[in-house]
Amino acid sequence: MTRFLIMMLSMFMLAGTVMAQSQPIKPAAPTQSAPSQSTIEPNVLRDAGLRVARAVDAGKEMDLWDGSSPVMKKAVKREEFVSSVRNTRNPLGPVVSRSWVSIDLQQMSGQGFPPGQYATARSVASFAAGRSLTEIVTFRLDEDGTWRFAGYVIR
């Protein structure tokens, strides 16, 4: 779990808005047949980020991990991911509202994570416990040309 958090924090610091989750399962994955950054539709990534956040709301962390990028699966075990997300989210209570904030695309390499193209979708969620926090969902364009979930953090 520590390795996963360090990887995710490194990505966030380096890219300025990193952390994402993408998957080929229907609730959260934008797909793309060619790895060209210029053909990525920002609205597709925004919507996929919101679907991932809603999947977390619904307790579908296992499904998210199952459909995630091989990069994420190498970085963190399924049980660690599920436990980490639930330990962070459960004390906050249900989401009262969520607003999309931004989409960022970065070409990443080094700093403890595999090189590649990453996309980050940010939203601000207000929780029943009275806090508003930023959710950061990260996707990676995998070698097969498919965007997949690669991380989720809330801060």
Side-chain angles (χ1 to χ4, degrees):
M1 183 163 84
T2 301
R3 185 176 52 184
F4 171 71
L5 293 174
I6 290 170
M7 179 181 146
M8 292 301 160
L9 289 173
S10 296
M11 289 177 66
F12 184 78
M13 293 159 107
L14 228 163
T17 58
V18 182
M19 287 303 99
Q21 297 189 50
S22 151
Q23 62 190 29
I25 66 171
K26 292 181 183 174
T31 58
Q32 157 117 7
S33 59
S36 170
Q37 174 172 246
S38 62
T39 61
I40 297 169
E41 179 62 42
N43 291 336
V44 171
L45 293 171
R46 176 204 63 207
D47 293 348
L50 291 172
R51 284 192 304 273
V52 166
R54 288 184 195 121
V56 171
D57 295 346
K60 305 257 183 207
E61 297 90 348
M62 288 184 215
D63 293 339
L64 289 171
W65 189 91
D66 289 344
S68 70
S69 172
V71 165
M72 182 172 160
K73 289 178 178 176
K74 269 183 137 173
V76 63
K77 293 180 181 173
R78 185 180 196 231
E79 298 77 23
E80 290 174 316
F81 171 73
V82 171
S83 175
S84 176
V85 172
R86 289 182 180 169
N87 288 339
T88 302
R89 283 290 305 273
N90 288 349
L92 299 170
V95 172
V96 175
S97 67
R98 180 178 282 122
S99 301
W100 170 77
V101 176
S102 66
I103 298 293
D104 294 300
L105 299 172
Q106 290 93 20
Q107 188 69 35
M108 309 292 274
S109 64
Q111 303 299 318
F113 55 92
Q117 189 172 349
Y118 293 82
T120 302
R122 284 183 175 217
S123 59
V124 173
S126 296
F127 295 90
R131 296 186 66 190
S132 292
L133 298 167
T134 301
E135 292 178 299
I136 305 164
V137 176
T138 303
F139 299 91
R140 181 176 188 272
L141 183 60
D142 286 332
E143 287 69 20
D144 66 356
T146 300
W147 285 97
R148 289 192 178 86
F149 173 68
Y152 172 89
V153 295
I154 188 163
R155 59 179 203 129

